Coordinates of all heavy atoms in Angstrom, one line a residue:
M2 N -367.0 26.0 -38.8 CA -367.2 24.7 -38.3 C -366.4 23.7 -39.0 O -366.6 23.6 -40.3 CB -368.7 24.5 -38.2 CG -369.4 25.4 -37.5 SD -371.1 24.9 -37.1 CE -371.6 26.3 -36.2
A3 N -365.7 22.9 -38.3 CA -364.9 22.0 -38.9 C -365.7 21.0 -39.7 O -366.7 20.5 -39.2 CB -364.0 21.3 -37.8
R4 N -365.2 20.6 -40.8 CA -365.7 19.5 -41.7 C -367.1 19.8 -42.3 O -367.6 18.9 -42.9 CB -365.8 18.2 -40.9 CG -364.5 17.7 -40.4 CD -364.5 16.6 -39.4 NE -365.4 15.6 -39.7 CZ -365.9 14.7 -38.9 NH1 -365.6 14.9 -37.5 NH2 -366.7 13.8 -39.2
E5 N -367.5 21.1 -42.2 CA -368.8 21.5 -42.7 C -368.6 21.7 -44.3 O -367.7 22.2 -44.7 CB -369.4 22.7 -42.1 CG -370.7 23.0 -42.7 CD -371.3 24.3 -42.0 OE1 -371.9 24.0 -40.9 OE2 -371.3 25.3 -42.7
K6 N -369.6 21.3 -45.0 CA -369.7 21.5 -46.4 C -371.0 22.2 -46.7 O -372.0 22.0 -45.9 CB -369.6 20.3 -47.3 CG -368.4 19.4 -47.0 CD -367.4 19.8 -48.0 CE -366.3 18.7 -47.8 NZ -364.9 19.3 -47.6
Q7 N -371.1 23.0 -47.7 CA -372.4 23.7 -48.0 C -372.7 23.5 -49.5 O -371.7 23.5 -50.3 CB -372.3 25.1 -47.7 CG -372.4 25.4 -46.2 CD -372.8 26.9 -46.0 OE1 -373.3 27.6 -46.8 NE2 -372.5 27.3 -44.8
L8 N -373.9 23.4 -49.9 CA -374.4 23.4 -51.3 C -375.4 24.5 -51.5 O -376.5 24.5 -50.6 CB -375.0 22.0 -51.5 CG -375.7 21.8 -52.9 CD1 -374.7 22.0 -54.0 CD2 -376.5 20.5 -53.0
L9 N -375.2 25.4 -52.3 CA -376.1 26.4 -52.6 C -377.2 26.0 -53.6 O -376.8 25.5 -54.7 CB -375.5 27.7 -53.1 CG -376.3 28.9 -53.4 CD1 -377.0 29.4 -52.2 CD2 -375.6 30.0 -54.1
V10 N -378.4 26.1 -53.2 CA -379.6 25.8 -54.1 C -379.8 27.2 -54.7 O -380.5 28.0 -53.9 CB -380.7 25.1 -53.3 CG1 -381.8 24.9 -54.3 CG2 -380.3 23.9 -52.7
D11 N -379.5 27.4 -55.8 CA -379.7 28.7 -56.6 C -381.1 28.8 -57.1 O -381.3 28.3 -58.3 CB -378.6 28.9 -57.6 CG -378.6 30.3 -58.1 OD1 -379.4 31.1 -57.7 OD2 -377.8 30.6 -59.0
L12 N -382.0 29.5 -56.4 CA -383.3 29.8 -56.9 C -383.6 31.2 -56.9 O -384.7 31.8 -56.7 CB -384.3 29.1 -56.0 CG -384.3 27.6 -55.8 CD1 -385.1 27.1 -54.8 CD2 -384.5 27.0 -57.2
G13 N -382.6 32.1 -57.3 CA -382.8 33.4 -57.4 C -383.1 34.0 -56.0 O -382.4 33.9 -55.1
D14 N -384.3 34.7 -55.8 CA -384.7 35.3 -54.5 C -385.0 34.2 -53.5 O -385.0 34.6 -52.3 CB -386.0 36.0 -54.7 CG -385.9 37.3 -55.6 OD1 -384.7 37.6 -56.1 OD2 -386.9 38.0 -55.9
R15 N -385.2 33.1 -53.8 CA -385.5 32.0 -53.0 C -384.3 31.0 -52.8 O -384.5 29.9 -52.2 CB -386.7 31.1 -53.4 CG -388.0 32.0 -53.6 CD -389.2 31.3 -54.1 NE -388.9 30.6 -55.4 CZ -389.1 29.3 -55.6 NH1 -389.6 28.6 -54.7 NH2 -388.7 28.8 -56.8
S16 N -383.1 31.5 -53.0 CA -382.0 30.6 -52.9 C -381.7 30.3 -51.4 O -382.1 31.1 -50.4 CB -380.6 31.4 -53.4 OG -380.8 31.5 -54.8
Y17 N -381.1 29.2 -51.1 CA -380.8 28.8 -49.7 C -379.6 27.8 -49.8 O -379.3 27.2 -50.8 CB -382.0 28.2 -49.0 CG -382.5 26.9 -49.7 CD1 -382.1 25.6 -49.2 CD2 -383.4 27.0 -50.6 CE1 -382.6 24.5 -49.9 CE2 -384.0 25.9 -51.3 CZ -383.6 24.6 -50.9 OH -384.1 23.5 -51.4
A18 N -378.9 27.7 -48.7 CA -377.8 26.8 -48.5 C -378.2 25.5 -47.7 O -379.0 25.6 -46.8 CB -376.6 27.4 -47.9
I19 N -377.7 24.4 -48.2 CA -377.8 23.2 -47.5 C -376.6 22.9 -46.9 O -375.5 22.9 -47.4 CB -378.3 21.9 -48.4 CG1 -379.6 22.2 -49.1 CG2 -378.4 20.7 -47.6 CD1 -380.0 21.3 -50.1
R20 N -376.6 22.7 -45.5 CA -375.4 22.5 -44.7 C -375.2 21.0 -44.4 O -376.0 20.3 -44.0 CB -375.5 23.3 -43.4 CG -375.5 24.8 -43.6 CD -375.9 25.5 -42.5 NE -374.8 25.7 -41.5 CZ -374.8 26.5 -40.5 NH1 -375.9 27.1 -40.2 NH2 -373.7 26.7 -39.7
F21 N -373.9 20.5 -44.7 CA -373.6 19.1 -44.4 C -372.5 19.1 -43.4 O -371.4 19.7 -43.6 CB -373.1 18.5 -45.6 CG -374.0 18.4 -46.8 CD1 -374.1 19.4 -47.8 CD2 -374.9 17.3 -46.9 CE1 -375.0 19.3 -48.8 CE2 -375.8 17.2 -47.9 CZ -375.9 18.2 -48.9
S22 N -372.8 18.5 -42.3 CA -371.8 18.4 -41.2 C -372.2 17.2 -40.3 O -373.2 16.7 -40.3 CB -371.7 19.7 -40.4 OG -372.9 20.0 -39.8
P23 N -371.2 16.8 -39.4 CA -371.5 15.7 -38.5 C -372.7 16.0 -37.6 O -372.9 17.1 -37.2 CB -370.3 15.6 -37.7 CG -369.2 16.2 -38.5 CD -369.8 17.3 -39.2
L24 N -373.5 14.9 -37.4 CA -374.7 15.0 -36.6 C -374.3 15.7 -35.2 O -375.1 16.5 -34.7 CB -375.3 13.7 -36.3 CG -376.6 13.7 -35.6 CD1 -377.6 14.6 -36.2 CD2 -377.1 12.3 -35.5
A25 N -373.2 15.4 -34.6 CA -372.8 15.9 -33.4 C -372.7 17.4 -33.3 O -372.9 18.0 -32.3 CB -371.5 15.3 -32.9
S26 N -372.6 18.0 -34.5 CA -372.6 19.5 -34.5 C -373.9 20.2 -34.6 O -374.0 21.4 -34.6 CB -371.7 19.9 -35.7 OG -372.2 19.6 -36.8
L27 N -375.0 19.4 -34.7 CA -376.3 19.9 -34.8 C -376.6 20.9 -33.7 O -377.1 22.1 -34.0 CB -377.4 18.9 -34.8 CG -378.8 19.3 -35.0 CD1 -379.0 20.2 -36.2 CD2 -379.8 18.1 -35.0
P28 N -376.4 20.6 -32.4 CA -376.7 21.7 -31.4 C -375.9 22.9 -31.6 O -376.4 24.1 -31.3 CB -376.2 21.0 -30.1 CG -376.3 19.5 -30.4 CD -375.9 19.5 -31.9
E29 N -374.7 22.9 -32.1 CA -373.9 24.1 -32.3 C -374.5 25.0 -33.4 O -374.6 26.1 -33.3 CB -372.5 23.7 -32.7 CG -371.5 24.8 -32.9 CD -370.1 24.3 -33.3 OE1 -369.8 23.2 -33.2 OE2 -369.4 25.2 -33.7
H30 N -375.0 24.2 -34.4 CA -375.7 25.0 -35.5 C -377.0 25.7 -35.0 O -377.3 26.9 -35.3 CB -376.0 24.1 -36.7 CG -374.9 23.6 -37.5 ND1 -374.1 24.5 -38.2 CD2 -374.4 22.4 -37.7 CE1 -373.1 23.7 -38.7 NE2 -373.3 22.4 -38.5
L31 N -377.7 24.9 -34.1 CA -379.0 25.5 -33.6 C -378.7 26.6 -32.7 O -379.5 27.6 -32.6 CB -379.8 24.4 -32.9 CG -380.4 23.4 -33.9 CD1 -381.1 22.3 -33.1 CD2 -381.3 24.0 -34.9
A32 N -377.6 26.6 -32.0 CA -377.3 27.6 -31.0 C -377.0 28.9 -31.7 O -377.1 30.0 -31.0 CB -376.0 27.2 -30.2
E33 N -376.6 28.9 -33.0 CA -376.6 30.2 -33.8 C -377.9 30.9 -33.9 O -377.9 32.1 -34.1 CB -376.0 29.9 -35.1 CG -374.7 29.3 -35.2 CD -374.3 28.8 -36.6 OE1 -375.0 29.0 -37.6 OE2 -373.2 28.2 -36.7
L34 N -378.9 30.1 -33.7 CA -380.3 30.7 -33.9 C -381.1 30.9 -32.5 O -381.9 31.8 -32.5 CB -381.1 29.7 -34.8 CG -380.6 29.4 -36.1 CD1 -381.4 28.3 -36.7 CD2 -380.5 30.6 -37.0
H35 N -380.8 30.0 -31.6 CA -381.6 30.0 -30.4 C -380.9 29.2 -29.2 O -380.2 28.2 -29.6 CB -382.9 29.4 -30.7 CG -384.0 29.7 -29.7 ND1 -384.1 29.2 -28.5 CD2 -385.1 30.6 -29.8 CE1 -385.1 29.6 -27.8 NE2 -385.8 30.5 -28.6
A36 N -381.1 29.6 -28.1 CA -380.5 28.8 -26.9 C -381.5 27.5 -26.7 O -382.5 27.5 -27.2 CB -380.7 29.7 -25.6
P37 N -380.8 26.5 -26.2 CA -381.6 25.3 -26.1 C -383.0 25.5 -25.4 O -383.1 26.2 -24.4 CB -380.7 24.4 -25.2 CG -379.3 24.9 -25.5 CD -379.5 26.4 -25.7
A38 N -384.0 24.9 -26.0 CA -385.3 25.0 -25.6 C -386.1 23.9 -26.1 O -385.5 22.9 -26.4 CB -385.9 26.4 -26.0
R39 N -387.4 24.0 -26.2 CA -388.2 23.0 -26.9 C -388.0 23.0 -28.4 O -388.0 24.2 -28.9 CB -389.7 23.2 -26.6 CG -390.6 22.1 -27.1 CD -392.0 22.3 -26.8 NE -392.2 22.2 -25.3 CZ -393.2 22.7 -24.6 NH1 -394.2 23.3 -25.3 NH2 -393.2 22.6 -23.4
C40 N -387.9 22.0 -29.1 CA -387.8 21.9 -30.5 C -388.7 20.7 -31.1 O -388.9 19.8 -30.4 CB -386.4 21.8 -31.0 SG -385.5 20.3 -30.7
V41 N -388.9 20.8 -32.4 CA -389.7 19.8 -33.0 C -388.9 19.1 -34.1 O -388.3 19.8 -35.0 CB -391.0 20.4 -33.6 CG1 -391.8 19.3 -34.4 CG2 -391.8 21.0 -32.6
L42 N -388.7 17.8 -34.0 CA -388.0 17.1 -35.0 C -389.1 16.4 -35.9 O -389.8 15.6 -35.5 CB -387.2 16.0 -34.2 CG -386.5 15.0 -35.2 CD1 -385.4 15.7 -36.0 CD2 -385.8 13.9 -34.3
V43 N -389.2 17.0 -37.1 CA -390.1 16.4 -38.2 C -389.3 15.5 -39.1 O -388.3 15.9 -39.6 CB -390.7 17.6 -38.9 CG1 -391.7 17.1 -39.9 CG2 -391.4 18.6 -37.9
T44 N -389.9 14.3 -39.4 CA -389.3 13.4 -40.2 C -390.4 12.5 -40.9 O -391.5 12.8 -40.7 CB -388.2 12.5 -39.4 OG1 -387.5 11.7 -40.4 CG2 -388.9 11.6 -38.4
N45 N -389.8 11.6 -41.7 CA -390.7 10.6 -42.3 C -390.4 9.2 -41.9 O -389.2 9.1 -41.2 CB -390.8 10.8 -43.8 CG -389.6 10.5 -44.5 OD1 -388.9 9.4 -44.1 ND2 -389.2 11.2 -45.5
P46 N -391.1 8.2 -42.1 CA -390.7 6.9 -41.6 C -389.3 6.4 -42.1 O -388.6 5.7 -41.3 CB -391.8 6.0 -42.0 CG -393.0 6.8 -42.3 CD -392.4 8.2 -42.6
V47 N -389.0 6.7 -43.3 CA -387.7 6.2 -43.9 C -386.5 6.8 -43.2 O -385.7 6.1 -42.8 CB -387.7 6.4 -45.4 CG1 -386.4 6.0 -46.0 CG2 -388.9 5.6 -46.0
V48 N -386.5 8.1 -43.2 CA -385.4 8.9 -42.5 C -385.5 8.7 -41.1 O -384.4 8.6 -40.5 CB -385.5 10.4 -43.1 CG1 -384.4 11.2 -42.4 CG2 -385.4 10.5 -44.5
G49 N -386.6 8.8 -40.5 CA -386.8 8.7 -39.1 C -386.1 7.3 -38.5 O -385.5 7.3 -37.5
A50 N -386.4 6.3 -39.3 CA -385.9 5.0 -38.8 C -384.3 5.0 -38.8 O -383.7 4.3 -37.9 CB -386.3 3.9 -39.8
L51 N -383.6 5.8 -39.6 CA -382.3 5.9 -39.6 C -381.6 6.9 -38.6 O -380.6 6.7 -38.0 CB -381.8 6.2 -41.0 CG -382.0 5.1 -42.1 CD1 -381.8 5.7 -43.5 CD2 -381.2 3.8 -41.8
Y52 N -382.3 8.1 -38.5 CA -381.7 9.3 -37.9 C -382.5 9.8 -36.7 O -381.9 10.7 -36.0 CB -381.4 10.4 -39.0 CG -380.5 9.9 -40.0 CD1 -380.9 9.6 -41.3 CD2 -379.1 9.6 -39.8 CE1 -380.1 9.1 -42.3 CE2 -378.3 9.2 -40.7 CZ -378.7 8.9 -42.0 OH -377.9 8.5 -43.0
A53 N -383.7 9.5 -36.6 CA -384.5 10.2 -35.5 C -383.9 10.0 -34.1 O -383.7 11.0 -33.4 CB -386.0 9.8 -35.5
E54 N -383.6 8.9 -33.7 CA -383.1 8.6 -32.3 C -381.7 9.2 -32.2 O -381.4 9.9 -31.1 CB -383.2 7.2 -32.0 CG -384.5 6.7 -31.6 CD -385.2 7.6 -30.5 OE1 -384.5 7.9 -29.5 OE2 -386.3 8.0 -30.8
P55 N -380.7 8.9 -33.1 CA -379.4 9.6 -32.9 C -379.6 11.1 -32.8 O -378.9 11.8 -32.1 CB -378.6 9.2 -34.2 CG -379.3 7.9 -34.7 CD -380.7 8.1 -34.3
C56 N -380.5 11.7 -33.6 CA -380.6 13.1 -33.6 C -381.2 13.6 -32.3 O -380.8 14.6 -31.7 CB -381.5 13.6 -34.8 SG -381.8 15.3 -35.0
R57 N -382.3 12.9 -31.8 CA -382.9 13.2 -30.6 C -381.8 13.1 -29.5 O -381.7 14.0 -28.6 CB -384.0 12.3 -30.2 CG -384.6 12.4 -28.9 CD -385.6 11.3 -28.6 NE -386.8 11.4 -29.5 CZ -387.8 12.2 -29.3 NH1 -387.9 12.9 -28.2 NH2 -388.8 12.1 -30.2
S58 N -381.0 12.2 -29.4 CA -380.0 12.0 -28.3 C -379.0 13.1 -28.3 O -378.7 13.5 -27.2 CB -379.3 10.6 -28.6 OG -380.1 9.5 -28.4
V59 N -378.5 13.5 -29.5 CA -377.5 14.6 -29.6 C -378.2 15.9 -29.0 O -377.6 16.6 -28.3 CB -377.1 14.8 -31.0 CG1 -376.3 16.1 -31.3 CG2 -376.1 13.6 -31.4
L60 N -379.4 16.1 -29.5 CA -380.1 17.4 -29.0 C -380.4 17.4 -27.6 O -380.1 18.3 -26.9 CB -381.4 17.6 -29.8 CG -381.2 18.0 -31.4 CD1 -382.5 17.9 -32.1 CD2 -380.6 19.4 -31.5
E61 N -380.9 16.3 -27.1 CA -381.2 16.2 -25.6 C -380.0 16.3 -24.8 O -380.0 17.0 -23.7 CB -382.0 14.9 -25.3 CG -383.4 15.0 -25.8 CD -384.1 13.7 -25.6 OE1 -383.6 12.6 -25.3 OE2 -385.4 13.7 -25.8
A62 N -378.9 15.8 -25.2 CA -377.6 15.9 -24.5 C -377.1 17.3 -24.4 O -376.4 17.8 -23.4 CB -376.5 15.0 -25.1
A63 N -377.5 18.2 -25.3 CA -377.2 19.5 -25.4 C -378.2 20.4 -24.7 O -378.1 21.7 -24.7 CB -377.0 20.0 -26.8
G64 N -379.3 19.8 -24.1 CA -380.3 20.5 -23.4 C -381.6 20.9 -24.0 O -382.4 21.6 -23.5
W65 N -381.7 20.4 -25.2 CA -383.0 20.7 -26.0 C -384.1 19.6 -25.5 O -383.7 18.5 -25.3 CB -382.8 20.4 -27.5 CG -381.8 21.5 -28.1 CD1 -380.5 21.6 -28.1 CD2 -382.4 22.8 -28.7 NE1 -380.1 22.8 -28.7 CE2 -381.2 23.5 -29.1 CE3 -383.6 23.3 -29.0 CZ2 -381.3 24.7 -29.7 CZ3 -383.6 24.5 -29.6 CH2 -382.4 25.2 -29.9
E66 N -385.3 20.1 -25.5 CA -386.4 19.2 -25.3 C -387.0 18.9 -26.6 O -387.5 19.8 -27.3 CB -387.5 19.9 -24.5 CG -388.8 19.1 -24.3 CD -389.9 19.9 -23.6 OE1 -389.7 20.9 -23.1 OE2 -391.0 19.3 -23.7
V67 N -386.9 17.6 -27.0 CA -387.3 17.3 -28.4 C -388.7 16.6 -28.5 O -389.0 15.7 -27.7 CB -386.3 16.2 -29.0 CG1 -386.6 15.9 -30.4 CG2 -384.9 16.9 -28.9
I68 N -389.5 17.2 -29.4 CA -390.9 16.6 -29.7 C -390.7 16.0 -31.1 O -390.3 16.8 -32.1 CB -391.9 17.7 -29.6 CG1 -391.9 18.3 -28.2 CG2 -393.2 17.1 -30.0 CD1 -392.8 19.6 -28.1
G69 N -390.9 14.7 -31.3 CA -390.8 14.1 -32.5 C -392.2 13.9 -33.3 O -393.1 13.6 -32.6
L70 N -392.2 14.3 -34.5 CA -393.3 14.2 -35.3 C -393.0 13.6 -36.7 O -391.9 13.8 -37.1 CB -394.0 15.6 -35.6 CG -394.5 16.4 -34.4 CD1 -395.0 17.7 -34.7 CD2 -395.6 15.6 -33.6
E71 N -393.9 12.8 -37.1 CA -393.6 12.1 -38.4 C -394.7 12.3 -39.3 O -395.9 12.3 -39.0 CB -393.6 10.6 -38.0 CG -393.0 9.7 -39.1 CD -392.8 8.3 -38.6 OE1 -393.7 7.5 -38.7 OE2 -391.7 8.0 -38.2
V72 N -394.3 12.5 -40.6 CA -395.2 12.7 -41.7 C -395.0 11.5 -42.6 O -393.9 11.0 -42.8 CB -395.1 14.0 -42.4 CG1 -395.5 15.2 -41.5 CG2 -393.8 14.3 -43.0
P73 N -396.0 11.1 -43.4 CA -395.8 10.0 -44.3 C -394.7 10.4 -45.4 O -394.5 11.5 -45.7 CB -397.2 9.8 -45.0 CG -398.1 10.4 -44.0 CD -397.4 11.5 -43.3
D74 N -394.1 9.4 -45.9 CA -393.1 9.6 -46.9 C -393.7 10.0 -48.3 O -394.8 9.5 -48.6 CB -392.2 8.3 -47.1 CG -391.1 8.5 -47.9 OD1 -390.5 9.6 -47.9 OD2 -390.6 7.6 -48.6
G75 N -393.0 10.9 -49.0 CA -393.4 11.2 -50.4 C -393.9 12.6 -50.6 O -394.4 13.2 -49.7
E76 N -393.7 13.0 -51.8 CA -394.1 14.4 -52.1 C -395.6 14.6 -52.0 O -396.0 15.7 -51.7 CB -393.6 14.7 -53.6 CG -392.2 14.8 -53.8 CD -391.5 15.9 -53.1 OE1 -392.1 17.0 -53.1 OE2 -390.5 15.6 -52.4
A77 N -396.4 13.6 -52.1 CA -397.8 13.8 -52.1 C -398.3 14.2 -50.6 O -399.4 14.8 -50.5 CB -398.6 12.5 -52.4
H78 N -397.4 14.1 -49.7 CA -397.7 14.4 -48.3 C -397.2 15.8 -47.9 O -397.5 16.2 -46.8 CB -397.3 13.3 -47.3 CG -398.0 12.1 -47.7 ND1 -399.3 11.8 -47.3 CD2 -397.5 11.0 -48.3 CE1 -399.6 10.5 -47.7 NE2 -398.5 10.1 -48.3
K79 N -396.5 16.5 -48.7 CA -396.0 17.8 -48.5 C -397.1 18.8 -48.9 O -397.1 19.5 -50.0 CB -394.7 18.1 -49.3 CG -393.7 17.2 -48.8 CD -392.3 17.5 -49.5 CE -391.2 16.5 -49.1 NZ -390.0 16.7 -49.9
T80 N -398.1 18.9 -48.0 CA -399.3 19.7 -48.4 C -399.6 20.7 -47.3 O -399.0 20.6 -46.1 CB -400.6 18.8 -48.6 OG1 -400.8 18.2 -47.3 CG2 -400.3 17.8 -49.6
L81 N -400.5 21.6 -47.5 CA -401.0 22.5 -46.5 C -401.6 21.7 -45.4 O -401.5 22.1 -44.2 CB -401.9 23.5 -47.2 CG -402.5 24.7 -46.1 CD1 -401.3 25.4 -45.5 CD2 -403.3 25.7 -46.9
E82 N -402.4 20.7 -45.7 CA -403.1 19.9 -44.7 C -402.0 19.2 -43.8 O -402.2 19.2 -42.5 CB -403.9 18.9 -45.4 CG -404.7 18.0 -44.3 CD -405.6 16.9 -45.1 OE1 -405.7 17.0 -46.3 OE2 -406.1 16.1 -44.3
S83 N -400.9 18.7 -44.3 CA -399.9 18.2 -43.5 C -399.3 19.2 -42.6 O -399.0 18.9 -41.4 CB -398.9 17.5 -44.4 OG -399.3 16.4 -45.1
W84 N -399.0 20.4 -43.1 CA -398.5 21.5 -42.4 C -399.4 21.9 -41.2 O -399.0 22.0 -40.1 CB -398.2 22.6 -43.2 CG -397.9 23.9 -42.5 CD1 -398.6 25.0 -42.3 CD2 -396.7 24.1 -41.7 NE1 -397.9 25.9 -41.6 CE2 -396.7 25.4 -41.2 CE3 -395.5 23.4 -41.6 CZ2 -395.7 26.0 -40.4 CZ3 -394.5 23.9 -40.7 CH2 -394.6 25.2 -40.2
E85 N -400.7 22.0 -41.5 CA -401.6 22.2 -40.5 C -401.6 21.1 -39.4 O -401.8 21.5 -38.2 CB -403.0 22.4 -41.0 CG -403.2 23.6 -42.0 CD -404.5 23.7 -42.6 OE1 -405.2 22.6 -42.7 OE2 -404.8 24.7 -43.2
D86 N -401.6 19.9 -39.7 CA -401.5 18.7 -38.8 C -400.3 18.9 -37.9 O -400.3 18.6 -36.7 CB -401.4 17.4 -39.6 CG -402.7 17.1 -40.2 OD1 -403.8 17.7 -39.9 OD2 -402.7 16.1 -41.1
L87 N -399.1 19.3 -38.5 CA -397.9 19.5 -37.7 C -398.1 20.6 -36.7 O -397.6 20.6 -35.6 CB -396.7 19.8 -38.6 CG -396.2 18.6 -39.5 CD1 -395.2 19.0 -40.5 CD2 -395.6 17.5 -38.6
V88 N -398.6 21.7 -37.2 CA -398.8 22.9 -36.3 C -399.8 22.5 -35.2 O -399.5 22.9 -34.0 CB -399.3 24.1 -37.2 CG1 -399.8 25.2 -36.2 CG2 -398.3 24.5 -38.1
Q89 N -400.9 21.7 -35.5 CA -401.8 21.4 -34.4 C -401.1 20.5 -33.4 O -401.4 20.6 -32.2 CB -403.0 20.7 -35.1 CG -403.9 21.6 -35.8 CD -404.4 22.8 -34.9 OE1 -404.9 22.5 -33.7 NE2 -404.5 24.0 -35.4
A90 N -400.3 19.6 -33.9 CA -399.6 18.6 -33.0 C -398.6 19.5 -32.1 O -398.4 19.1 -30.9 CB -398.8 17.6 -33.8

């Protein structure tokens, strides 16, 4: 994919790559995993204010049905209870 950059987060058995690329390429990345269908866009108020609508627009234009969910900002909200709330929603 053109213009994509990656950063490896080296955590041994739990290592993973973070991919950096233009927002317009998001549907292409998702197509590697699944055909367009329903998806959940999880964000927080800070990031969501900047990127939720552009992200939603790009995905919907590619045929995805986007459900937006928001969690409060901050590490204190990355809990099992927050995860359960997301799953219930």
